[in-house]
Amino acid sequence: STKECLEKAIAGETYEYTEMYPRMQEEAEQEGNENALLEAKLQAEESKRHAQEFQQVLEKAEKRFAALKKVEQRHADAYKKVLGGL
């Protein structure tokens, strides 16, 4: 489902900016590789931004589905009422 895909994308991006890229930064710093250090920092920032964006999409979708569920429930209730009067 779309929800599962977003959750997996959030988890993947979160792993990248909390674990993977910080580890790369440490290694680059130990090696004195300024280019690799800068690249790892930039990639971590980008991954964090992606995780936040995916989270916002997920939250917006959940709100919309919750609202849609209420509308559909009202429709179902109205149909039941009409059917009950036949």
Side-chain angles (χ1 to χ4, degrees):
S1 74
T2 302
K3 180 180 178 182
E4 289 175 284
C5 290
L6 284 168
E7 288 171 341
K8 288 179 181 181
I10 293 165
E13 296 289 345
T14 300
Y15 165 77
E16 288 179 4
Y17 82 82
T18 60
E19 295 183 41
M20 187 176 82
Y21 289 121
R23 226 175 299 133
M24 288 181 180
Q25 289 176 42
E26 288 176 20
E27 291 174 12
E29 195 168 15
Q30 289 170 358
E31 295 171 2
N33 188 334
E34 292 297 319
N35 289 333
L37 178 59
L38 177 59
E39 183 64 24
K41 285 180 180 181
L42 293 174
Q43 291 299 320
E45 291 170 8
E46 182 177 41
S47 293
K48 185 174 186 177
R49 206 169 42 253
H50 288 165
Q52 292 168 340
E53 291 168 358
F54 292 147
Q55 184 64 42
Q56 289 171 351
V57 170
L58 179 59
E59 289 169 4
K60 187 181 286 186
E62 287 175 338
K63 286 179 186 176
R64 287 184 178 169
F65 282 118
L68 183 59
K69 182 179 177 182
K70 290 176 186 176
V71 170
E72 291 302 321
Q73 186 60 54
R74 282 198 306 268
H75 289 166
D77 292 344
Y79 296 146
K80 286 179 189 176
K81 186 176 180 182
V82 169
L83 285 174
L86 295 177

